Structures are given as C-alpha cells and as structure tokens.
Amino acid sequence: MRSKVVCNCRLGSKCRTGVFISVPLRSTFCVGTSYILAVKVSYIVAVIMVDYKVQGSFAILEVNNPPVNALSHAVRSGLNDGIEKASRDRNVKAVIVCGKGATFPAGADIREFSKPKKEPWLPEIGHKMEKCEKPVIAAIHGTCLGGGLEIALFCHYRIALKTARVGFPEVQLGLLPGAAGTQRLPRVAGLQVAMDMISSGRHVLATEAKKYGIIDELCLKAVKASVDFPYEKGLEMETEFFKQLLGSGQSKAQQYAFFAERTIARWEMPNGNYRTAVAKPVKSTAVIGAGTMGSGIVVCLLSAGIPVYLMEQNEKFLNNGLKMIKSIMEGSVKLGKVSPEVGRKAATLLKPTMNYNDLKDVDLIPVLVKTCRGFLANRMHGPFGTEGTFLVEEGALPSQVDRVMEDFGLPIGPFKVRDLSGVDIAYKIKQEVAKLLGIKTTLQTRFMNGERYCALNDRLFHLGRLGRKTGKGYYKYEKAGGKIATEDSDVTDIIEKHCKELGIQRRQISSQEIVERMMYSCINEGFKILEDGIAVRPEDIDVCYLYGFSFPRYLGGPMFYANQIGLQRVYERICYYHENFPYSPHWVPSRLLRKLAAKSVPMNEWMAYATGSKL
Ligand SMILES: CCCCCCCCCCCCC[C@H](O)CC(=O)SCCNC(=O)CCNC(=O)[C@H](O)C(C)(C)COP(=O)(O)OP(=O)(O)OC[C@H]1O[C@@H](n2cnc3c(N)ncnc32)[C@H](O)[C@@H]1OP(=O)(O)O
Ligand SMILES: NC(=O)c1ccc[n+]([C@@H]2O[C@H](COP(=O)([O-])OP(=O)(O)OC[C@H]3O[C@@H](n4cnc5c(N)ncnc54)[C@H](O)[C@@H]3O)[C@@H](O)[C@H]2O)c1
C-alpha cells in the first residue's frame, strides 16, 4: 500500500519543493539517505528527520533537521524509533547519536512550545537511550544546547570536537532544562558548575566542559543503569517546574524575543536587503565632543578594536573626556564586558586631538549634533519621558516613579536616566522646539502651542542641577560625576514650590497609574509608528527597546507587552487618559490600535491592517 503523495516530486527522490516525499507505509526508515520522508494516509502522520544508518557494528542516528537540528516532534520520533531499532538489531554493537550539517541538536524546537504537545517526550527517549544495553555515544559538534545537551547527558559517552559548545540557554527563554538537565548535569559536573551553567545560560567550550566531566572523551563511565528514588523524584519536580514555566507569560515573551531578533535581521530596503548588503570596512573613526554621549561612543568603538580620534574644543574638556573614557573602560574590564587585552589595547587606539585636520582621512564620524523628535525609539520615548514629568507635577515624586518603573522591570528609572544623560539635554531639546515655534517659555509656562507643558525640568536646569555631571539633578550624588543616587529633600521642595506657584493641587498617584501612563502613552505612539510605516513590524520596535532601553526581556518589548495585556484593555485605558488629558496629543488614540482592538487581531496579522491590505 502506498500513501498519498503530498508534493509532485518523484518517489524516493530528494524533495525539491521542501514539502515531503511519501513512501510505502512499511518503510519507516530510509537507510543511508538524508531525505525527509512523510508517511501520509489522509493526513501526514509522521515526518522522519533522523537518518538511520548501520556502518560496521555501529548504528548511527543522525539528526537531520536544518539549520540547528532542533528536537522537533519528528526528530524525537526518529530518535525514539532509531534507538528501539538499534536495540533490536543483533548486528549493532554500539549506537552513535549525532547531528548532520552545522551542529548537534541545539535544543528543543522552540516553535513547538506554543503548539499542542506531542509525545514522545525527550526524557522518555533519553531513558530509552540510557537503558539500551549497547553503548550509546553522543558525537558532538557545533552547539549542543538545551534538550541537545540533555540527550547527550543521557548517552553513556560523550565525545566532542574542540570547537563544540555546550550549554543550557533555557533561562534566556524563561525556562529551565526540562529533560532531566537539572538532575543530570550536577551529577556529572558538580553542583557549582551546574548552577552556574543553568542560571547563566552561557555556552561552554568543549575544552572547558571536558574539565567538568560533561564531555567524557577518555573512558567508559559506568552507565547509570538504575535510577534511584531521588533521581526520579528530582525528575518529577523538574517536569512540574518546566510545565509551569512553559505556560508562563515570561517564557512566552522570551521565546517571542528570540524569534523577533532573528526576524528583524531579515531587513529589506528599497535599494537592498540583508542578503545583498556589503559591510564597508571601517579602519578609523572620529568622535567630536568628549561629553556624555561622545565618551560612551568612544568606549564602544575601542571595545570593538577600532581606532578613534577624540576631538574637543579645549584641553580641559578633552582631559575630562579622557578621564571618563578611562574610567568606563576600566569598569568594563572589571565587569568582564571586555577582556583585559582589549582594555590595554584601547589606550593605543585612542588619539586625542583639538585639530580638525587630523580627521580628514577617517572613515566614519558618528553625528552627535542636532536633535529631532526621533524616528522610532526617541519618538516613542518622548511621551514616556513627558508623562513621567507630568506625574511628578501632579503628585508623584521622581523616586516613586523610578521605583515603580524599576519594579515593572526597567533596569533604571526614567529620572535616574535623565540625571545620567543630563537635565540640560532635556532642557535644550524643549528649547529647540520652542525656538522653532517662535515661543519663549518661562517657569510659569503651562501650554506650548496648545499642548500641556511642564517647566519643572527647566527649574532644575536654571538651578544648575544638571544631573550626575554636577552632582545633583533629580537626585543628589556623592560628587560631581558620581553614580550613587540619593533622594534629595531639596528636589521635593522645588517640586512643591513649582506646584504652589502654578496653583496645582497635588494628589496621591497609584503605581498602576504610573505604569499605565508611562507605558500606554509610548505603546500608543508605537502603533502610530506602525501606521506611519516607520517600523515595518512590531518586532522592529520591540527589539529596539530590548537593546536600546534594556526593556525587560521577560516582557518581550512594549508591543508584545500590549498584546499580552490585551489590545482592547490598552485601547480603553488610552481613551480614558485622552479624555482626562485632552491637551497631550500623545493620548490621541492610534487608529490602527482602535481597529486591531475592535477585531482582536493576533499580533502576526497587525501589519496587514497597518498597510491596509486588511481593513
Ligand atoms: C503541557 C505539557 C508539557 C509537558 C512537558 C513535559 C515534558 C518535558 C519535555 C521538555 C523538554 C525540554 C527540553 C529542553 O530542556 C528545552 C530546550 O531545549 S529550549 C531550547 C534551548 N536551545 C536554545 O535556546 C538554542 C537557541 N538557538 C540559538 O541559540 C542559536 O540559534 C544557535 C543554535 C546558537 C545558532 O545560532 P546561529 O548560527 O546564529 O543561527 P540562528 O540563531 O540565526 O538560527 C538559525 C535558524 O534556526 C532557528 N532556531 C534556532 N534554534 C532554534 C530552536 N531551538 N528551535 C527552533 N528554531 C530554532 C532560528 O530561529 C533561525 O531561524 P529563523 O528564525 O531565522 O527562521
Ligand atoms: N546625553 C544623551 O543621553 C543624549 C541622547 C541623545 C542625543 N544626545 C545628543 O548628543 C549630543 C551630545 O550630547 P552630550 O550629552 O554628550 O553633551 P555634553 O554636553 O555632555 O558634551 C558635549 C561636548 O561637546 C563638546 N563640543 C561642543 N562643540 C564642539 C566642537 N565644535 N568641537 C569639539 N567639541 C565640541 C563640548 O565641549 C562638550 O564637552 C547633543 O547634541 C545631544 O542632544 C545626547
């Protein structure tokens, strides 16, 4: 009996369409080939992605699921059937498990986590391997991660190329190893190493892993033939925790972030795309201005090993900048962000100058002048910053707003950020806008061009409270350029004076209001950015936030966060704030958001509504 053909390719040939070749039902394995085989009756019931070969007395189970040999359902079925077949075959004396192409399996198939769960589970397969009376050997190359490492840990032996890496990156997906990894790694490598690897998610080079005994290259280790009670109990608990995490919003967000990063890498522009673009070599660079931004950019360039001219207008500013760069660089070495060698080399790559002629041959000068309302991150962050100031004007304190937003997950609150970047920067941006509009603001200004305006930041500026650089801003610091922010009662006095002068009745502000006003205002702007075609998909915005503002990965990004809350709820709250704050245009609800909220559109279809292909 033959199953139904699901693509037009010749039976038994390599599938050209990327669909499948159907085979006679009885042929479960295609010995010695790397074809994807599908057995279809009326539906596809099995897709085999493990090549089974017998060479001499070895059975080889080669996982063939490019690009990373993820342990999808088809792979798990293939491994399960393969180990059973090898156990039965009298001619087979040992079994090798390996990956075809670039790598040993790099883990479970993350895409399957959001689909109905299908057996066989990895632990079941692993136990079959462990119980196999013939030695089972994991031959590791590439990246042996997550479920891949768990499979390897079930094998009786592990051999690896020196270049191979092993690790448990589950933590980056909001998970823990769920196929006995938490039980087996400590037994093989010791508690300390296991704790480090599982909690950091770091990839360990095979040469290091060998030291821990994870890769057993030298001798046969006694196979754990029987599993004692603590192991089984441990396994039970691991499965329970894994299930809990898998269902959590945190893990869903981290899985989303994983794929979002890869989606945005496939960018397209009218004049080229990620495939056709060729990077231009950058051999030398220059940064003009050794202030907060300039110094930070110099550190990035030096960390990448790129020579930099640092240009300043006078010696004093140049020396201040050099001191700042030295201190940041030393801090990066201490924190392990860059190697000591890179740190040492940095000094030779940095060329301070006050002469523009030195810059004539450089390949790249990052532009640090003129601010505009921004395209994406700065545009979205505008309402975020503005709402922060309004909340303080209405009754909150900067430290309260910061604490709530840090509890929400931001690494540092908005007012600490403002002190870091400079109160003067925020002031000058506002002044530039005012100048463009031909308006002169005062400390009493409450509206600019019909929009609500808050002059609190201007007050701090005029009092010389420019932030960290002057040792005081929204907080006070241990010294000018200090980093330890302490609440300052002078700031409370300044805020209260401001409100009194303007007749503003201060009120208690709840944490919920703070989070909603900060986040929903910028989410609303995010939908307008999609509407305007500035970002081509929500993932662009989210990845920008993950990297640009260290937005918590376990929330996915502002757009994913909005989706998790529910667009209907987000839209209703935006309408509510719009009614209450009619003079803040950032509360005018996005039309796209209104449409999506009304129809409960899933995130992967948002853009069809933004571009108008769906209405
Ligand atoms: C309710 C009932 C529940 C019952 C449960 C009880 C049973 C318990 C069973 C649990 C089993 C758990 C097993 C395990 O513990 C969990 C895991 O293994 S989680 C996964 C761990 N692995 C990873 O996180 C690795 C992620 N991948 C990477 O880090 C990198 O891709 C790489 C491997 C280092 C390779 O990097 P690159 O060469 O740069 O390639 P790309 O990153 O661009 O990737 C290429 C391409 O592959 C896709 N991809 C990569 N990894 C996976 C994956 N694991 N699953 C699916 N797809 C993957 C990636 O998205 C790229 O594709 P594109 O997105 O570009 O189309
Ligand atoms: N600080 C931030 O977080 C931030 C964020 C986004 C954009 N920016 C923009 O980046 C620019 C720099 O910001 P910053 O925070 O580093 O400012 P900063 O005041 O800390 O430093 C600016 C430095 O540039 C020097 N400088 C000015 N004119 C110069 C010239 N002609 N030649 C050489 N040096 C000159 C000054 O002496 C000063 O040391 C500004 O345009 C700002 O709006 C800053």
Side-chain angles (χ1 to χ4, degrees):
M1 176 179 129
R2 278 185 186 273
S3 60
K4 217 164 149 191
V5 178
V6 292
C7 64
N8 292 325
C9 300
R10 196 166 45 81
L11 267 182
S13 71
K14 195 148 189 163
C15 179
R16 281 174 284 111
T17 60
V19 191
F20 311 109
I21 303 291
S22 64
V23 289
L25 262 181
R26 267 198 276 166
S27 165
T28 9
F29 293 103
C30 187
V31 176
T33 71
S34 61
Y35 302 149
I36 298 169
L37 307 174
V39 179
K40 178 167 172 167
V41 183
S42 52
Y43 315 98
I44 296 168
V45 290
V47 180
I48 297 163
M49 289 187 181
V50 175
D51 299 337
Y52 182 91
K53 320 179 209 187
V54 177
Q55 277 181 11
S57 53
F58 284 95
I60 302 172
L61 307 188
E62 190 177 43
V63 179
N64 183 9
N65 182 18
V68 299
N69 288 322
L71 295 156
S72 62
H73 176 246
V75 171
R76 296 198 305 278
S77 300
L79 285 173
N80 189 55
D81 295 350
I83 194 71
E84 283 181 1
K85 186 168 177 175
S87 301
R88 285 194 307 266
D89 188 339
R90 287 188 184 181
N91 296 323
V92 169
K93 302 288 180 242
V95 185
I96 295 177
V97 181
C98 58
K100 195 180 177 82
T103 184
F104 194 82
D109 186 337
I110 305 167
R111 288 183 207 276
E112 283 186 357
F113 287 162
S114 49
K115 295 184 186 156
K117 310 289 176 288
K118 286 204 243 169
E119 292 182 13
W121 309 120
L122 273 187
E124 182 187 329
I125 301 163
H127 284 126
K128 266 188 199 165
M129 288 179 171
E130 183 178 54
K131 287 194 180 130
C132 177
E133 287 175 358
K134 303 164 187 179
V136 183
I137 303 149
I140 300 168
H141 77 297
T143 39
C144 166
L145 304 174
L149 179 54
E150 287 171 310
I151 283 291
L153 286 170
F154 274 109
C155 292
H156 305 144
Y157 307 101
R158 291 161 286 281
I159 56 172
L161 289 186
K162 274 188 181 166
T163 49
R165 286 175 184 272
V166 300
F168 279 128
E170 281 85 345
V171 64
Q172 278 144 19
L173 299 168
L175 295 170
L176 52 71
T182 65
Q183 300 303 302
R184 292 184 163 257
L185 188 59
R187 285 173 163 83
V188 171
L191 205 58
Q192 203 180 346
V193 169
M195 277 302 289
D196 166 49
M197 285 181 63
I198 291 170
S199 61
S200 72
R202 74 188 177 94
H203 299 184
V204 173
L205 206 59
T207 42
E208 184 187 343
K210 191 181 155 196
K211 281 196 274 172
Y212 304 145
I214 302 164
I215 309 294
D216 185 356
E217 197 182 359
L218 298 174
C219 59
L220 278 180
K221 268 190 162 189
V223 176
K224 258 183 142 349
S226 59
V227 178
D228 54 13
F229 175 75
Y231 171 75
E232 285 191 329
K233 179 77 189 150
L235 205 58
E236 229 175 69
M237 287 166 67
E238 183 196 74
T239 306
E240 189 44 43
F241 292 149
F242 186 83
K243 279 189 205 166
Q244 276 178 24
L245 288 173
L246 199 56
S248 71
Q250 176 166 341
S251 175
K252 288 194 177 89
Q254 289 178 234
Q255 290 167 38
Y256 162 82
F258 175 86
F259 289 114
E261 283 165 352
R262 283 151 182 85
T263 302
I264 67 144
R266 291 188 285 265
W267 56 270
E268 304 273 347
M269 301 280 271
N271 54 353
N273 61 38
Y274 71 102
R275 278 192 218 92
T276 56
V278 183
K280 282 193 181 161
V282 175
K283 293 203 186 87
S284 66
T285 59
V287 169
I288 301 175
T292 313
M293 284 297 277
S295 303
I297 292 172
V298 167
V299 169
C300 289
L301 293 167
L302 294 176
S303 303
I306 300 171
V308 198
Y309 281 102
L310 176 62
M311 168 80 195
E312 253 296 349
Q313 50 187 345
N314 68 43
E315 209 168 326
K316 184 177 162 220
F317 290 153
L318 189 57
N319 286 334
N320 283 347
L322 289 172
K323 259 197 239 155
M324 189 152 36
I325 291 163
K326 188 165 176 271
S327 141
I328 305 176
M329 218 54 218
E330 283 171 358
S332 299
V333 173
K334 246 192 222 156
L335 290 173
K337 286 186 188 166
V338 298
S339 69
E341 198 199 330
V342 169
R344 273 191 300 276
K345 207 171 154 207
T348 63
L349 296 174
L350 180 60
K351 296 166 201 148
T353 180
M354 284 180 293
N355 184 350
Y356 272 105
N357 279 334
D358 286 341
L359 316 189
K360 62 181 188 310
D361 293 325
V362 300
D363 300 320
L364 179 78
I365 305 182
V367 176
L368 278 184
V369 285
K370 290 281 173 215
T371 46
C372 68
R373 299 202 80 174
F375 293 107
L376 197 160
N378 283 354
R379 175 169 159 190
M380 266 177 86
H381 233 51
F384 178 90
T386 307
E387 279 301 310
T389 317
F390 289 169
L391 283 160
V392 168
E393 189 175 54
E394 289 166 36
L397 285 177
S399 54
Q400 181 194 354
V401 175
D402 278 357
R403 197 190 59 250
V404 170
M405 294 317 290
E406 284 165 14
D407 287 349
F408 172 78
L410 299 186
I412 163 169
F415 288 99
K416 288 188 191 142
V417 171
R418 202 173 292 177
D419 274 356
L420 175 64
S421 61
V423 169
D424 51 329
I425 299 294
Y427 172 79
K428 283 174 191 157
I429 293 172
K430 287 267 181 207
Q431 287 309 302
E432 261 191 48
V433 177
K435 203 168 140 197
L436 282 175
L437 296 168
I439 295 170
K440 202 164 163 29
T441 62
T442 68
L443 294 184
Q444 276 66 43
T445 302
R446 297 204 62 188
F447 289 93
M448 184 158 79
N449 204 30
E451 292 180 22
R452 179 175 171 185
Y453 182 88
C454 172
L456 203 45
N457 193 73
D458 308 7
R459 278 182 194 261
L460 266 69
F461 172 81
H462 289 303
L463 290 167
R465 300 189 70 109
L466 305 190
R468 281 192 189 186
K469 54 184 141 189
T470 55
K472 49 189 186 171
Y474 285 91
Y475 292 85
K476 63 180 173 201
Y477 296 84
E478 71 281 17
K479 57 176 186 195
K483 290 181 182 166
I484 305 165
T486 319
E487 278 182 55
D488 188 348
S489 57
D490 287 356
V491 174
T492 313
D493 292 345
I494 296 167
I495 296 166
E496 281 171 357
K497 181 166 183 256
H498 169 87
C499 293
K500 206 164 170 199
E501 274 181 28
L502 299 179
I504 298 168
Q505 187 70 40
R506 290 174 66 71
R507 63 183 170 94
Q508 285 283 330
I509 304 222
S510 70
S511 301
Q512 183 191 337
E513 181 174 348
I514 293 175
V515 171
E516 285 187 352
R517 284 179 61 185
M518 306 289 284
M519 287 313 305
Y520 293 0
S521 58
C522 86
I523 286 166
N524 193 33
E525 199 64 36
F527 280 102
K528 291 178 188 172
I529 285 170
L530 292 178
E531 227 169 270
D532 293 350
I534 301 292
V536 289
R537 58 209 145 198
E539 285 90 341
D540 290 339
I541 296 176
D542 284 339
V543 175
C544 192
Y545 262 74
L546 293 177
Y547 285 85
F549 298 108
S550 298
F551 194 85
R553 211 175 162 80
Y554 58 79
L555 294 178
M559 307 313 277
F560 184 83
Y561 170 71
N563 192 52
Q564 292 292 83
I565 298 284
L567 297 193
Q568 186 60 40
R569 157 94 189 157
V570 173
Y571 176 70
E572 280 166 14
R573 296 303 289 161
I574 288 173
C575 291
Y576 167 83
Y577 289 120
H578 180 42
E579 259 174 57
N580 282 278
F581 303 110
Y583 299 109
S584 296
H586 54 252
W587 284 123
V588 175
S590 141
R591 283 181 314 236
L592 173 63
L593 174 60
R594 191 187 61 221
K595 264 194 275 181
L596 299 176
K599 294 191 178 174
S600 301
V601 179
M603 199 167 174
N604 60 1
E605 289 177 25
W606 287 2
M607 291 321 289
Y609 289 81
T611 55
S613 66
K614 278 193 186 176
L615 293 171

